[in-house]
């Protein structure tokens, strides 16, 4: 399975990614998590990424694309992967297409998690209280939602045209959303009596 998980900040991408990836036996790769690990370790990449992330902006494409290319070249991705939060720009879509083409493989599905803005803000403000993430303040959350609407939301149309996009309602409990995602990715076989 080669999967993408898309959706606005707070829709539940990171929350659902681990469960889905485990069900399909593939690694869950979150560009946000890789950046945050680098920020925590104060690597060169982390220092660069931190400036963009804490303002609610995207890390530049060339940096993000190189990081994903390195990660997808690792052995555990040979039979599949779930990319969480990548691609987010037209250049990232083009670069991912090129990476997959070089390997002679294709995406199986792109899951788009949807939820309305007020619910997204509510969830992220709650996470701010629990985890204190630097990009979970209200002005930065609103900026992230604007950037998503301008840069990432339009990408869904391209995947819809390719026939790989499935939209999933991200409202409801974490378990309900997980069941909805599994239902579209691996529907139960119909038993014919
Ligand atoms: P991410 O780490 O991807 O952060 P995110 O969009 O906020 O989503 P996340 O996966 O963490 O949260 P989730 O919705 O699961 O990106 C962070 C930053 O990194 C970006 O802003 C950007 O700067 C940079 N970046 C990452 N990828 C990049 C790329 N490709 N190009 C350029 N820059 C990039 O969950 C949010 C909260 O909601 C959680 O607290 C969760 O518990 C809660 N929640 C989830 N599902 C719920 C449910 N059903 N009900 C109630 N609460 C729920």
């Amino acid at each position: 399975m080669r999967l993408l998980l898309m959706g606005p900040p707070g829709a539940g991408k990171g929350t659902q990614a681990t469960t889905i990836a485990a069900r399909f036996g593939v690694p869950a790769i979150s560009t946000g998590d890789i950046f945050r690990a680098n920020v925590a370790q104060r690597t060169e990449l982390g220092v660069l990424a931190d400036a963009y992330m804490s303002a609610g902006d995207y890390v530049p494409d060339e940096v993000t694309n190189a990081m994903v290319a390195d990660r997808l070249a690792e052995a555990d991705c040979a039979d599949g992967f779930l990319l969480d939060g990548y691609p987010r720009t037209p250049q990232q879509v083009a670069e991912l297409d090129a990476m997959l083409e070089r390997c002679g493989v294709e995406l199986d599905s792109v899951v788009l998690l949807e939820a309305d803005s007020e619910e997204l803000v509510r969830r992220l403000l709650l996470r701010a209280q629990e985890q204190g993430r630097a990009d979970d303040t209200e002005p930065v959350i609103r900026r992230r939602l604007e950037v998503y609407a301008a840069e990432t939301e339009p990408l869904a149309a391209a995947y819809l045209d390719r026939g790989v996009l499935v939209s999933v309602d991200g409202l409801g409990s974490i378990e309900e959303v997980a069941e909805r995602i599994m239902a579209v990715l691996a529907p139960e076989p119909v038993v014919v009596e």
Side-chain angles (χ1 to χ4, degrees):
M1 266 289 201
R2 291 178 180 85
L3 302 170
L4 305 185
L5 197 46
M6 298 181 73
K13 299 181 301 292
T15 307
Q16 299 294 340
T18 328
T19 316
I20 308 167
R23 293 282 282 273
F24 289 106
V26 296
I29 300 165
S30 156
T31 40
D33 282 351
I34 302 176
F35 286 134
R36 276 186 291 280
N38 276 275
V39 171
Q41 290 160 17
R42 308 293 301 159
T43 66
E44 199 179 327
L45 171 64
V47 172
L48 180 118
D50 196 16
Y52 293 95
M53 292 170 81
S54 44
D57 291 323
Y58 287 165
V59 180
D61 285 330
E62 58 275 21
V63 176
T64 309
N65 286 333
M67 184 178 86
V68 172
D70 284 349
R71 181 64 187 88
L72 290 186
E74 289 181 31
D76 64 338
C77 296
D79 294 329
F81 52 78
L82 183 155
L83 275 169
D84 154 15
Y86 179 93
R88 293 192 196 214
T89 66
Q91 291 79 5
Q92 293 181 17
V93 170
E95 189 57 31
L96 178 62
D97 285 345
M99 288 180 224
L100 297 176
E101 201 180 325
R102 281 196 294 274
C103 299
V105 297
E106 291 186 351
L107 290 173
D108 292 292
S109 284
V110 178
V111 177
L112 175 64
L113 273 180
E114 297 184 297
D116 63 80
S117 299
E118 289 318 305
E119 170 66 5
L120 301 173
V121 174
R122 190 193 69 76
R123 287 181 186 178
L124 294 173
L125 287 176
L126 193 64
R127 182 170 70 184
Q129 289 171 15
E130 292 164 359
Q131 298 177 18
R133 234 171 82 168
D135 59 348
D136 280 345
T137 62
E138 185 151 0
V140 177
I141 292 168
R142 301 247 175 230
R143 170 72 189 148
R144 287 158 63 199
L145 290 171
E146 279 172 17
V147 172
Y148 176 81
E151 300 204 35
T152 307
E153 202 169 64
L155 306 180
Y159 288 118
L160 188 64
D161 284 349
R162 298 185 197 183
V164 288
L165 188 85
V166 285
S167 296
V168 173
D169 180 2
L171 293 180
S173 72
I174 289 171
E175 294 74 22
E176 283 166 345
V177 177
E179 276 172 29
R180 278 181 215 139
I181 297 174
M182 287 312 298
V184 294
L185 290 181
E188 294 290 323
V190 178
V191 180
V192 181
E193 298 280 330

